[in-house]
């Protein structure tokens, strides 16, 4: 089947052109959404991808379709990372692995959502379901590590968002400095350990996975008119 | 003398108009530099301040003069905060006060330099001197808290920059969420305590006060053409 289709050289060339084009649009969309928020003009995405606005709309008729496609792969990665963390028989190691992997993803791929669940509306039932599952899994991971006495009892699930958003800010400021990123992650993980608790913490944030900004620059997004 | 000059109503009105104008330009400059880096177009600053480009150049003939004026007050604040921290007879409390006050300034005034010393070139001997003094004072603060056995021995001066840049990223993402900011500061300070050290840290960053980005958005600054 593979061999047969590759023998039809013309069609194959067209297909891989189309694929490359689509990939280029998705890469551009992630970069633009990361910089300007998901309300960034479609025209900006088209320009960055080097395709016409008409081509962009032909492939992705709505902004929503583009957003979903752009982050589909990352949603999958997040689900995999969470599943692996939960599968770890050592509750602390599972929790640590989640934080380290999420930060590694932020470091290696700028434009990766600031947190594990993107802030765009639940456009599909499928997406709402994935998010609910992610929330439940994160909660399990936290409770399990606390029950084992490894994660401090006053750790609040919103602290995960605090950690990921701070780290995202650091790698945005210093995209080349892996040492700084690793150092921050190590400090945070040590401060999350039960035996490191050396005093009470101020009250936790009201942040939840539901109201996280997608990127560190979302506050400016209203400054960009829609295309 | 005060009374006499205020009796010359016309002159006084002119003077306070000019003062207000100057203040408006400086506020706009800090906001624009914070968003786009110090290479942001002068025209953007003028537009934000609601004055003409000619007026802006009449008051600040060079970008450098504007940058220095915009941050003069903050440099002064930094110097005062550092002096107060050094004056604290308890080395840990001095160190903690520095971190907390710097983060509070980042939280209360967006556009405050990401770190204590701005990244613009040493345009004047005076500025170079202030920076050297700040570097020396920070080092003294760190060494003193380590000598007292309160700050962990593997704390590296660049970790201060890591902490301030992460916190800056967090308050940029969540400008309204003071709880998140306080929570991060508390975790970081606890992880810096000698008794919290529960394992080795990865090698420190090569960051120094000399090569800090001024804002979290400096990496994008080349996207903004100069005026």
């Amino acid at each position: 089947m593979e061999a047969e289709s590759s023998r039809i050289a013309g069609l194959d060339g067209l297909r891989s052109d189309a694929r490359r084009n689509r990939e280029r649009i998705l890469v551009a969309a992630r970069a633009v959404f990361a910089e300007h928020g998901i309300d960034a003009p479609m025209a900006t995405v088209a320009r960055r991808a080097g395709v016409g606005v008409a081509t962009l709309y032909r492939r992705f008729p709505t902004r929503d379709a583009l957003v979903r496609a752009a982050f589909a792969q990352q949603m999958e990665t997040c689900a995999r990372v969470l599943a692996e963390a939960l599968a770890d028989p050592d509750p602390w190691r599972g929790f640590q692995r989640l934080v380290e992997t999420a930060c590694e993803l932020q470091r290696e791929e700028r434009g990766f959502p600031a947190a594990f669940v993107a802030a765009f509306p639940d456009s599909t039932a499928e997406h709402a379901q994935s998010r609910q599952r992610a929330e439940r899994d994160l909660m399990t991971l936290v409770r399990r590590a606390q029950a084992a006495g490894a994660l401090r009892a006053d750790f609040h699930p919103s602290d995960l968002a605090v950690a990921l958003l701070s780290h995202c800010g650091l790698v945005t400021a210093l995209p080349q400095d892996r040492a700084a990123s690793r150092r921050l992650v190590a400090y945070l993980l040590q401060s999350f350990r039960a035996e490191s608790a050396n005093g009470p913490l101020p009250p936790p944030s009201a942040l939840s996975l539901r109201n996280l900004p997608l990127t560190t620059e979302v506050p400016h997004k209203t400054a960009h008119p829609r295309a």
Side-chain angles (χ1 to χ4, degrees), chain A residues 65-77:
Chain A
L66 178 60
V67 168
R68 262 183 294 133
F71 291 107
Q73 206 184 329
Q74 305 188 316
M75 295 288 284
E76 242 173 69
T77 307

Side-chain angles (χ1 to χ4, degrees), chain A residues 141-162:
Chain A
L141 208 62
V142 167
R143 299 285 174 243
R144 214 177 54 145
Q146 282 175 324
L151 180 60
R152 53 194 294 170
D154 53 0
F155 182 91
H156 187 269
S158 67
D159 292 335
L160 265 178
V162 169

Side-chain angles (χ1 to χ4, degrees), chain A residues 183-205:
Chain A
R183 196 91 173 161
L184 175 66
V185 173
Y187 274 124
L188 287 174
L189 280 172
Q190 292 202 8
S191 72
F192 294 159
R193 289 285 297 185
E195 67 264 33
S196 291
N198 55 40
L201 293 168
S205 156

Side-chain angles (χ1 to χ4, degrees), chain A residues 112-135:
Chain A
F112 191 86
F116 261 51
V117 182
F120 48 91
D122 286 329
S123 38
T124 65
E126 190 197 357
H127 178 228
Q129 259 185 359
S130 322
R131 190 159 77 175
Q132 277 158 20
R133 196 164 46 239
E135 283 174 2

